[in-house]
Amino acid sequence: MPDLLARIHFSENATQLGINILIALLILLIGSWLAARVANLVQRAMHRASVDETLIGFLRNLIYGVLVAVLVVSALITAGVPSAPLVAALGASGLAIGLALQGSLSNLAWGVLLIVFRPFRAGDFIHAGGVEGTVETVNLMYTQLVLPDNREAIVPNAKIGGDAIINANRRGTRRFELKVGIGYKDDIGQAIGEIEKLFAADPRILKEPPPSVVTGMLAESSVELIIRAYTRSGDLWAAQTELLRKIKERFDEAGISIPFPQRELTVVQGALPDGSRKSG
């Protein structure tokens, strides 16, 4: 009789275990289908909201992964796995993975923030993380920059996010500043007038805000003029270098000198003092 009862009890437990496993499999199958539908629904909603493509793919996969992880835990508990040791094991695994991937997770978090808040876009010229260049792509882990000499820089997002970001293209215009010296005998008003004519002749130099020429300082050999003007971001370098060349040419035509550093040497003739005649 005890053997019969044991067999009956074992049969009932096996049947219940089989039912639990079947239910767990159904949870996984149906839950995975529902998780994919939910993730795709969120993805379509983000597309309609014009969210960045990189962020859309990341959030879609993140939502799907979290839902699948919850399904796996629910299925294991339904199949009869004790919940307390399972939760403890998952917590310990998550802590270990988080410590091992601390730097990568920091880059990932900053990547999401950079994509969401958009301090810069592809094509912007920025200075960030100690690197200066044109943004080519912004990924979840790093930002790819093209340096002025056409080299490529891969900068971790945590380094960019943890430093000041200077965006040269955000406002659409940039100001340049030049310093030019003229001789003390030259007419300051004439020099300023010649430069203002060059402002008016160059369509790349914006009229608003207006360009300006001011007297900066009285240097040792020259009167320093400070020239400031605004251009479109893409015209800055060409307009600045061409203006400097034209200033030199216009000053030459107008007879305005651009002096170089000079020193006056006074030669005194006569007998040397007695102390100077002693030989070393």
Side-chain angles (χ1 to χ4, degrees):
M1 181 65 69
D3 293 340
L4 178 61
L5 292 175
R7 286 196 295 271
I8 293 174
H9 183 68
F10 176 79
S11 177
E12 290 177 351
N13 288 340
T15 302
Q16 186 62 43
L17 179 61
I19 293 173
N20 290 341
I21 292 175
L22 180 61
I23 294 174
L25 291 175
L26 289 175
I27 290 175
L28 283 177
L29 292 174
I30 298 174
S32 298
W33 179 78
L34 289 174
R37 293 293 299 273
V38 171
N40 292 334
L41 182 64
V42 173
Q43 184 180 28
R44 288 194 294 270
M46 287 189 291
H47 273 298
R48 288 194 295 270
S50 300
V51 179
D52 188 271
E53 286 292 335
T54 304
L55 187 60
I56 289 176
F58 168 72
L59 292 178
R60 190 266 178 201
N61 294 333
L62 177 64
I63 293 171
Y64 180 73
V66 170
L67 292 176
V68 169
V70 172
L71 287 172
V72 170
V73 173
S74 301
L76 290 174
I77 294 175
T78 302
V81 178
S83 59
L86 179 61
V87 172
L90 290 175
S93 300
L95 179 61
I97 293 173
L99 292 175
L101 299 177
Q102 184 175 4
S104 298
L105 292 176
S106 178
N107 287 330
L108 181 63
W110 274 112
V112 173
L113 292 176
L114 291 175
I115 293 172
V116 170
F117 292 104
R118 290 290 191 78
F120 51 81
R121 300 171 182 267
D124 286 349
F125 188 86
I126 67 169
H127 182 89
V131 182
E132 190 175 62
T134 302
V135 179
E136 190 166 44
T137 57
V138 183
N139 297 315
L140 290 172
M141 302 299 292
Y142 61 86
T143 297
Q144 187 173 347
L145 301 177
V146 178
L147 305 185
D149 59 0
N150 210 36
R151 289 181 297 165
E152 186 176 87
I154 306 298
V155 187
N157 286 332
K159 188 173 183 180
I160 290 180
D163 197 0
I165 300 174
I166 300 175
N167 190 332
N169 296 79
R170 190 63 175 262
R171 295 185 175 273
T173 60
R174 292 181 64 183
R175 192 193 75 177
F176 66 83
E177 180 176 295
L178 300 173
K179 294 181 180 180
V180 177
I182 62 173
Y184 272 94
K185 295 182 179 180
D186 294 309
D187 188 333
I188 296 177
Q190 180 188 5
I192 292 176
E194 296 295 339
I195 296 173
E196 289 176 343
K197 291 177 184 177
L198 295 176
F199 287 156
D202 193 339
R204 293 169 300 188
I205 295 179
L206 302 179
K207 304 304 182 288
E208 289 294 335
S212 64
V213 186
V214 297
T215 305
M217 64 178 295
L218 302 178
E220 292 183 2
S221 304
S222 64
V223 178
E224 184 181 84
L225 301 180
I226 299 178
I227 303 163
R228 298 189 180 102
Y230 282 84
T231 69
R232 301 287 181 188
S233 298
D235 295 333
L236 177 74
W237 181 250
Q240 176 181 340
T241 54
E242 188 170 339
L243 178 65
L244 190 60
R245 177 179 62 83
K246 288 183 176 179
I247 288 174
K248 172 63 170 63
E249 295 173 349
R250 182 64 65 90
F251 279 10
D252 289 344
E253 294 174 0
I256 300 172
S257 63
I258 301 179
F260 50 85
Q262 301 176 19
R263 293 290 184 271
E264 289 187 3
L265 179 62
T266 303
V267 178
V268 179
Q269 295 182 349
L272 295 174
D274 293 339
S276 303
R277 296 176 183 175
K278 296 179 180 180
S279 61

